[in-house]
Amino acid sequence: DTEVTQTPKHLVMGMTNKKSLKCEQHMGHRAMYWYKQKAKKPPELMFVYSYEKLSINESVPSRFSPECPNSSLLNLHLHALQPEDSALYLCASSQDLGLGTDTQYFGPGTRLTVL
Amino acid sequence: AQKVTQAQTEISVVEKEDVTLDCVYETRDTTYYLFWYKQPPSGELVFLIRRNSFDEQNEISGRYSWNFQKSTSSFNFTITASQVVDSAVYFCALSVPSRGNNRLAFGKGNQVVVIP
């Protein structure tokens, strides 16, 4: 059983909608990640939060806005998305020992379709 | 730069056959970590194994085994007596601690199809 949960599992939204993806981890981890994965491609890193602070932003367009309310929760706010943003969005977490040696554990993902 | 190459994009095997997935990595660092993840059709990436660069012991876990060879920069994965539930995409990944973060460099993945 995964200890990283994501909601919703599926999301369909129009280009003018505002929606949010949610991620929660129950492992006491202090680092959380958002990835975007297109079909038949590996995951691409979007954002990393370490101890609730944004530590990595991979030049993601501003229509994606991450938020980390506490060490267990991670949100991704979506606004004015484009059809090419349709993808599987994966959340992950890791211990964050500050050594760069962590194992990332992934959630089941949210399949996003932008119409 | 860190790079992972998984050359075989799609591999089809008949149930009960063995399948080996090749992973070749590139890094100039002497300390690094290698991972394998499984992604079934449901989408979740399932962690399978982590191996650091100083531990070249091969590992077996049930029907899964891993062969780490620093001399050839390879970390290959074998599924013995494959089952339909093994059908998934398998990703090999590399992280390098000297970069100060846990960024993973993923290979392109191997799509394994097990035919009953």
Side-chain angles (χ1 to χ4, degrees):
Chain A
D1 291 341
T2 182
E3 293 188 70
V4 180
T5 58
Q6 291 186 242
T7 55
K9 282 191 173 181
H10 301 273
L11 179 63
V12 179
M13 60 186 291
M15 289 191 285
T16 58
N17 292 157
K18 284 185 180 181
K19 296 287 184 183
S20 297
L21 308 184
K22 297 185 183 300
C23 174
E24 187 170 7
Q25 56 92 6
H26 309 280
M27 293 180 280
H29 289 169
R30 302 310 298 266
M32 296 187 77
Y33 310 74
W34 279 117
Y35 286 84
K36 174 183 178 180
Q37 186 180 23
K38 302 285 276 184
K40 298 189 182 297
K41 298 287 186 182
E44 297 175 9
L45 184 64
M46 300 174 72
F47 302 104
V48 181
Y49 273 83
S50 175
Y51 288 81
E52 301 160 45
K53 292 186 178 178
L54 184 65
S55 61
I56 294 177
N57 177 340
E58 294 286 52
S59 302
V60 178
S62 60
R63 57 185 184 268
F64 295 92
S65 175
E67 179 196 18
C68 189
N70 60 56
S71 60
S72 300
L73 293 172
L74 185 66
N75 300 320
L76 186 63
H77 303 298
L78 314 172
H79 175 56
L81 294 194
Q82 303 297 310
E84 58 265 28
D85 297 321
S86 298
L88 178 68
Y89 288 84
L90 291 159
C91 174
S93 71
S94 70
Q95 283 184 297
D96 197 1
L97 299 174
L99 303 173
T101 63
D102 296 353
T103 295
Q104 294 181 32
Y105 296 89
F106 288 79
T110 294
R111 291 195 186 274
L112 174 68
T113 302
V114 182
L115 301 176
Chain B
Q2 281 60 241
K3 183 179 176 183
V4 174
T5 301
Q6 294 177 256
Q8 315 127 298
T9 52
E10 183 165 330
I11 305 166
S12 293
V13 295
V14 176
E15 201 171 20
K16 297 185 184 177
E17 288 183 342
D18 298 348
V19 55
T20 294
L21 309 181
D22 297 331
C23 172
V24 175
Y25 60 92
E26 295 176 31
T27 178
R28 293 184 178 181
D29 286 71
T30 56
T31 302
Y32 50 88
Y33 288 79
L34 295 162
F35 302 81
W36 277 96
Y37 286 89
K38 173 183 179 180
Q39 188 173 39
S42 59
E44 177 182 355
L45 262 76
V46 178
F47 166 70
L48 297 178
I49 191 172
R50 181 180 95 161
R51 179 52 48 90
N52 74 56
S53 53
F54 299 107
D55 182 2
E56 283 194 76
Q57 279 193 344
N58 292 330
E59 182 152 341
I60 297 174
S61 176
R63 295 184 297 104
Y64 294 170
S65 62
W66 290 269
N67 184 338
F68 178 26
Q69 293 199 338
K70 286 177 74 171
S71 61
T72 55
S73 297
S74 65
F75 187 41
N76 297 338
F77 172 31
T78 297
I79 304 172
T80 302
S82 59
Q83 300 176 3
V84 173
V85 292
D86 297 324
S87 295
V89 179
Y90 292 86
F91 289 99
C92 181
L94 167 71
S95 73
V96 176
S98 67
R99 299 183 68 183
N101 57 55
N102 294 306
R103 186 180 271 114
L104 288 171
F106 284 95
K108 291 185 177 180
N110 299 122
Q111 170 81 61
V112 173
V113 178
V114 181
I115 303 165

